[in-house]
Amino acid sequence: MSTLFRFATAGSVDDGKSTLVGRLLHDSKAILADQLESVARTSAERGFGGEPGAIDFALLTDGLRAEREQGITIDVAYRYFSTGRRSFILADCPGHVQYTRNMVTGSATADAVVVLVDVRNGVLEQTRRHLAVVQLLRVPHVIVAVNKIDLTGYDRAAFEAVAADVAALARDLGLPDAHTIPVSALAGDNVVERSANTPWYDGPSLLELLEELATIDELETDLEALRLPVQLVIRPQGALSPELTSAGRGASAGERLETQPQDDFRDYRAFAGRIESGTVRVGDAVEVFPAGITTTVVGIDRGPLAVDEASAPLSVSLRLADPVDAARGAVIAASGSLPRPRREIEADVFQLDGRPLTTGSRVLVKHGTSTVQALVTDIRGRLDLDTLETTPTAALETNDIGLVRLKLAADLAVEPYAAHRRAGAFLVIHPHDGATLAAGIVTEGDTA
Amino acid sequence: MTDTNLPPRVEEVAQRPSRNQDAQAGFETPPSSAPQPSHGAPRPSQALDTLDALEAEAIHIIREVVAEFERPVLLFSGGKDSVVVLHLATKAFWPAKVPFPVLHVDTGHNFPEVLRFRDETVERLGIRLEVASVQDYLDDGRLQERADGTRNPLQTQPLLDAIAAGRHDAVFGGARRDEDKARAKERIISLRDEFGQWDPRNQRPELWSLYNGRHTVGQHVRAFPISNWTELDVWRYIEREQISLPPLYFAHEREVYARDGMWLAVSDVSAPRAGETIERRTVRYRTVGDLSCTGAVLSDAATVSDIVREVAASTLTERGATRADDRLSEAAMEDRKKDGYF
C-alpha cells in the first residue's frame, strides 16, 4: 500500500524550481521516454547550455506557451510521481511576485512546502513572502533546499550561512523548524540520492525526507474532534438506482441486498459529506449545527458499503437515529465539541484579487459548505515583510497579507484555523462577478 | 460483484501499525525556540491508501458540484476516465440514482463497440443520454470536413451548442492533470466564458477544498473530479472496483496498419495509404478516441490485472503512445482547451 503526499515548491524566480522538479521527476523515473525525447529535442533546438545532450528540465513543467516563451512559471503545474512507498502530488508554483496568488493556491493543501534558495543570493524578498504564506497557511513541514551548491564548490560555510539566515527568519515568522538541505538541482546532488560531494551533510536527500514526513491527516486526525460539513442530503424515495430494484439486481449493491430488502432504501435518508477531521463510529453521539440537536449515528455508508467507522478525509453518508432537520451547510460534530456559532470573525487574509479590500466592502464568505453575505468592518493592518510587523493600512492590495474583521449575515461554525484547519479556512468572494478576492484564516479569539 | 471486491473496511485500514516516525531522529536541524504548530505531538495512526484518498476527494468534488449547480452534466464517451467518474457518481449518491444526465459528443468516427458500451451503461444506470453529433453539423453545412480527415477539432462547436441547449451550468469531465502539460495547469473547478474559452493566464485561485463555482450568466464551469489521478491510479481503481469497460481496452486481434509509429485500425473511416500494409495483430487501446486518430498498442494484456502491470512498466505516456491529434504541435492541447475543447 502506498500513501498520498502533497507538496508544493516555492522560491524566487531563477532559484531553479522548475529544474529541481524536473530533476526529481527524472531521477525518480517518473519521466517517460516520449516526454524526455520531446524535451531533449526542444533543449537542443534552443541550444541549451552544458554538454551535448544536456536537458533543460524546466521544459518538463512549464506547460503553457507563454511560460515556455518567457522561461517563467505563471501558474501552478501539478505533477505526479511515485516511489515504492508513496504517491506524490507536486504543485510546482510560480516564483514571480505578481503570481504569488498561484503559489498560495498550490500551498493551501500541501503537507509540505519546499522553498528553494539560491546559495549565492540567500534569503530574498520573495523567500520571505513565500515563508510568510507558508506560516499563514500553517503548512506542517517546511523544507528549505539551498540550491546551486555546486557553484560554490560544495562549500559547507556557504550552506551554513544561508541555513542560519533561514532558521532566523523561520523563528521570526513563528514557523516550525525548517529542514535545510544543500542541493544542486542541475547536477542532482541530494535530490533523490545523497551526494558524495557534501560529506559534511549527513541528513536525508530531499526525496528521502518527502517519503518520511507525516501528512496533515496523519498529524491531525487523532487530535481533532469529528467535523463533517453536510454537502447534501441523500433521500432517493422513488429515484432509486435501478441496480437496487429486483430487475437490475446487483452489481454495486453487494451484500447489502442479501440482508436488506429493497423497500428499506425507499426510506433511506443520509447526510453526505467529507469527514474534515476526526473519526466517526456507529453508535457515536453527535451534535448537529445549527439545529443544536444531539443524536446518534446509526449507519455509515461508503457508497454501497456499510462500515463501522471512518476517518478524515473520507467521503461518507451518515444515517442518524433522529429525523434531524439539517441540509447543506449543516455541520455534524462530535457531541459537545462544537464551539459557539459566530457572527463576527477576525482573520488573517491573503489578498488575491487586483481590487483592494477596504473597510465597508460587501462580500460573500464561503466556509465549508456554507456561503453567507459579509461586511468588512475593519482592516486592522498589513504584514510588513521587512520588519514582520503589522502596520496600519486603509486597504489590502494584491499579495498583501492582512488582518481583518468581518461581520456575517448568518451564523457560521467557524473555529480558529490553528485548532481546526478545515473549519478555520474560508474564501472571500465578490458578490457580483464571483471572483475569489481573498483567502482567509480565522485567528484566535471569539469576538462576537 | 461480491463483497470481496469492495474496498477494505475502514477499520482494517485504521488498524495498520503506524509508520515509524523516528526516521526524522537523525536529521540535523538547528535547535530553535520557535513556537511549534498547534497540532501537538504527531501520533499518526492512519495511513490511508492512495486510492481511498483519491476516491474521497473525487466524491467530495462531485457532490459539491451537484449541490451548488442547477444543471450539471457529465461528458461521457465510454472511455475509461469518464467511466470511472460515472462509477464515482454512483457511489456518491448511492442508493439514489446518479442525479444528472450524460452528454456524448459523437464525432461519427467512434468505435462501434464503444457506442454499444455507452448505451448499455446509461441503460443500466437509468440515466439520460444527450448526444451532440458532429455528423449532423457536417450534413447541414455548419461545419466542414478537414483536409486531414480528423474530426476531433470539430467537436468544440457541437459541444458548446449542447451545453447551451441543455442550459448546463456545470460540465463534468474525466480529464486528468497528468495527461498533458497544459492540463497540468487546470483547476478542479474551471471557469469558462460564453465562448467556452479557458484563460490559462488568469485562472481563479483554488484553495483548500473550497471550490468557488460562482459565475455570471453565460459562463459555465468544467469540473474535473479525477484531476489528481494518474493513468495507473485509474487502472488500479478499475481493478479494485471491478468496473466494466469497452472490450477494446483488452488484447484482441485486429486489422491494423502502421503510421507515424502508431497502429491504426482498418475501418470505414480509416484506411492505409499507399505503401502502408494491413497486418493482423494482437493489440489493445490505452485511450479511446476516434478510429481515425487513436493508435493501438501491441499487447497481450487480456485482463485488468495484466494492464495494471503493463502500465506500471510502460515507458511511454498514454497520449504520446496513442493520440495523433496531440502531436500536431507542442501546444496542441493548450490551443484546443482555449477554444472551448476540454
Side-chain angles (χ1 to χ4, degrees):
Chain A
M1 184 189 85
S2 71
T3 54
L4 190 63
F5 191 82
R6 298 167 194 255
F7 71 102
T9 55
S12 233
V13 181
D14 296 334
D15 280 353
K17 279 187 308 300
S18 296
T19 309
L20 178 81
V21 170
R23 169 63 66 182
L24 206 49
L25 295 169
H26 178 265
D27 289 7
S28 61
K29 312 287 186 284
I31 308 235
L32 297 174
D34 52 315
Q35 287 173 302
L36 204 58
E37 186 196 351
S38 139
V39 166
R41 214 176 29 243
T42 311
S43 300
E45 282 166 9
R46 303 198 180 169
F48 182 71
E51 55 262 34
I55 285 177
D56 182 356
F57 283 121
L59 293 169
L60 282 169
T61 52
D62 288 339
L64 302 174
R65 187 182 280 138
E67 294 178 323
R68 286 193 297 273
E69 284 167 359
Q70 301 171 56
I72 60 162
T73 307
I74 291 171
D75 209 336
V76 185
Y78 293 91
R79 305 295 311 227
Y80 303 83
F81 67 101
S82 52
T83 63
R85 301 180 52 187
R86 263 192 172 158
S87 298
F88 293 98
I89 300 179
L90 185 170
D92 183 21
C93 298
H96 270 90
V97 63
Q98 74 188 98
Y99 300 119
T100 304
R101 61 194 169 96
N102 294 337
M103 180 264 167
V104 177
T105 285
S107 305
T109 50
D111 298 307
V113 171
V114 180
V115 179
L116 260 84
V117 178
D118 185 329
V119 66
R120 300 164 308 167
N121 303 336
V123 173
L124 302 170
E125 188 196 8
Q126 216 32 9
T127 320
R128 299 171 76 84
R129 191 183 310 272
H130 283 170
L131 285 172
V133 168
V134 168
Q135 198 282 329
L136 181 80
L137 296 170
R138 308 288 195 289
V139 179
H141 309 288
V142 186
I143 301 168
V144 177
V146 180
N147 192 22
K148 308 193 186 181
I149 193 77
D150 53 321
L151 300 182
T152 67
Y154 300 98
D155 180 33
R156 178 177 189 167
F159 164 72
E160 285 179 350
V162 174
D165 285 352
V166 169
L169 175 60
R171 248 194 319 277
D172 292 345
L173 282 166
L175 278 165
D177 288 353
H179 304 273
T180 44
I181 308 178
V183 303
S184 166
L186 200 63
D189 300 283
N190 296 322
V191 178
V192 171
E193 302 288 339
R194 296 189 195 195
S195 170
N197 295 319
T198 52
W200 39 264
Y201 169 75
D202 60 2
S205 74
L206 176 61
L207 187 63
E208 287 172 343
L209 186 57
L210 293 168
E211 283 186 316
E212 291 298 340
L213 297 171
T215 65
I216 289 171
D217 285 302
E218 286 170 341
L219 288 168
E220 300 193 347
T221 295
D222 287 2
L223 302 161
E224 295 190 12
L226 170 73
R227 294 283 181 277
L228 184 141
V230 175
Q231 292 182 271
L232 40 87
V233 182
I234 297 178
R235 288 189 63 206
Q237 293 175 295
L240 275 178
S241 171
E243 297 185 309
L244 290 174
T245 61
S246 43
R249 210 27 216 280
S252 68
E255 63 183 332
R256 281 292 279 278
L257 282 183
E258 303 300 327
T259 54
Q260 258 182 300
Q262 63 172 83
D263 283 353
D264 281 17
F265 295 115
R266 300 245 173 247
D267 300 322
Y268 184 95
R269 185 162 184 265
F271 298 95
R274 195 171 61 162
I275 302 170
E276 298 287 21
S277 64
T279 297
V280 61
R281 293 177 186 81
V282 173
D284 278 357
V286 291
E287 63 180 304
V288 183
F289 165 91
I293 294 169
T294 300
T295 179
T296 308
V297 176
V298 295
I300 306 169
D301 292 330
R302 291 180 62 190
L305 179 69
V307 296
D308 299 331
E309 73 166 45
S311 297
L314 289 179
S315 288
V316 295
S317 304
L318 296 188
R319 286 173 281 126
L320 303 177
D322 302 295
V324 177
D325 171 24
R328 180 172 172 81
V331 178
I332 297 172
S335 180
S337 73
L338 263 181
R340 200 155 53 84
R342 302 257 288 269
R343 281 287 177 112
E344 269 192 72
I345 49 179
E346 191 159 288
D348 285 330
V349 299
F350 184 92
Q351 183 63 19
L352 299 156
D353 195 81
R355 293 164 287 186
L357 199 67
T358 58
T359 301
S361 292
R362 290 192 174 275
V363 295
L364 298 170
V365 164
K366 184 179 172 85
H367 169 264
T369 53
S370 301
T371 302
V372 303
Q373 293 183 61
L375 179 68
V376 179
T377 53
D378 193 10
I379 304 278
R380 305 291 290 272
R382 65 179 285 276
L383 178 72
D384 182 319
L385 284 170
D386 293 326
T387 62
L388 303 181
E389 305 283 325
T390 300
T391 57
T393 183
L396 294 179
E397 310 282 348
T398 317
N399 297 327
D400 276 352
I401 294 172
L403 184 62
V404 304
R405 286 179 65 113
L406 292 154
K407 191 170 181 184
L408 307 173
D411 283 348
L412 283 184
V414 295
E415 300 171 64
Y417 184 84
H420 265 281
R421 170 183 299 268
R422 291 171 181 139
F426 63 92
L427 301 180
V428 179
I429 294 172
H430 194 284
H432 303 304
D433 66 21
T436 303
L437 300 174
I441 278 152
V442 178
T443 49
E444 296 295 337
D446 186 342
T447 55
Chain B
M1 128 172 158
T2 67
D3 62 326
T4 51
N5 307 313
L6 291 162
R9 293 174 73 89
V10 182
E11 60 272 28
E12 293 169 10
V13 176
Q15 284 165 8
R16 286 175 206 281
S18 64
R19 287 187 316 138
N20 176 8
Q21 280 306 297
D22 296 336
Q24 290 184 38
F27 298 177
E28 281 208 337
T29 43
S32 140
S33 57
Q36 290 301 304
S38 56
H39 46 58
R43 286 193 298 115
S45 72
Q46 313 259 334
L48 194 67
D49 178 78
T50 298
L51 287 183
D52 283 323
L54 292 170
E55 180 192 61
E57 177 183 70
I59 289 175
H60 176 253
I61 293 162
I62 293 167
R63 287 169 167 175
E64 276 305 276
V65 170
V66 165
E68 294 216 322
F69 291 82
E70 297 288 325
R71 297 175 64 84
V73 67
L74 165 65
L75 275 191
F76 183 72
S77 61
K80 68 181 188 325
D81 298 317
S82 55
V83 168
V84 163
V85 175
L86 188 53
H87 176 85
L88 288 160
T90 61
K91 281 194 152 188
F93 302 103
W94 188 94
K97 222 189 269 203
V98 173
F100 47 81
V102 297
L103 167 64
H104 182 223
V105 182
D106 184 347
T107 58
H109 285 182
N110 289 294
F111 290 87
E113 55 266 63
V114 176
L115 294 181
R116 262 198 310 279
F117 175 87
R118 175 197 77 183
D119 295 340
E120 285 162 8
T121 304
V122 298
E123 173 79 18
R124 178 172 57 85
L125 296 175
I127 51 181
R128 191 161 50 85
L129 168 70
E130 300 169 7
V131 177
S133 158
V134 171
Q135 192 62 52
D136 289 353
Y137 281 68
L138 292 168
D139 292 347
D140 64 20
R142 279 176 293 174
L143 287 173
Q144 273 75 46
E145 198 82 73
R146 292 161 48 104
D148 62 6
T150 178
R151 287 192 172 180
N152 248 334
L154 302 179
Q155 292 180 86
T156 305
Q157 190 58 42
L159 168 66
L160 294 178
D161 290 351
I163 291 171
R167 302 199 313 284
H168 296 301
D169 50 357
V171 182
F172 286 110
R176 308 187 327 262
R177 286 166 172 164
D178 84 325
E179 287 178 272
D180 172 88
K181 284 195 294 192
R183 281 190 171 172
K185 304 270 169 180
E186 180 69 271
R187 299 284 188 259
I188 285 172
I189 302 291
S190 181
L191 202 58
R192 294 291 195 277
D193 65 12
E194 50 273 11
F195 303 102
Q197 295 182 107
W198 179 63
D199 181 0
R201 306 198 57 162
N202 195 21
Q203 295 195 84
R204 197 174 265 180
E206 192 166 75
L207 290 105
W208 300 294
S209 47
L210 294 169
Y211 303 109
N212 174 7
R214 294 186 79 90
H215 56 285
T216 54
V217 174
Q219 294 179 323
H220 70 276
V221 304
R222 305 277 169 99
F224 303 109
I226 60 169
S227 283
N228 287 325
W229 299 41
T230 63
E231 183 185 15
L232 190 55
D233 293 327
V234 168
W235 280 110
R236 285 190 169 136
Y237 190 71
I238 288 166
E239 178 181 38
R240 186 181 90 171
E241 302 280 307
Q242 300 224 314
I243 299 170
S244 50
L245 290 175
L248 49 69
Y249 279 110
F250 305 97
H252 57 287
E253 272 207 1
R254 190 182 278 269
E255 290 198 326
V256 291
Y257 55 95
R259 178 181 299 167
D260 299 337
M262 293 188 303
W263 294 98
L264 294 171
V266 177
S267 73
D268 305 349
V269 298
S270 49
R273 301 176 188 142
E276 294 172 342
T277 51
I278 294 180
E279 302 176 42
R280 234 186 135 65
R281 293 294 200 112
T282 301
V283 298
R284 69 177 184 87
Y285 286 86
R286 278 177 75 175
T287 67
V288 168
D290 278 6
L291 272 163
S292 50
C293 70
T294 307
V297 292
L298 300 178
S299 168
D300 294 322
T303 67
V304 177
S305 306
D306 293 345
I307 293 172
V308 166
R309 275 193 296 278
E310 203 172 84
V311 170
S314 173
T315 60
L316 288 177
T317 62
E318 192 176 336
R319 286 179 168 268
T322 63
R323 295 293 277 270
D325 55 324
D326 293 326
R327 298 182 172 203
L328 300 172
S329 80
E330 171 89 348
M333 178 65 87
E334 183 182 344
D335 291 342
R336 285 157 66 222
K337 279 172 68 76
K338 281 182 182 166
D339 293 344
Y341 178 82
F342 253 73

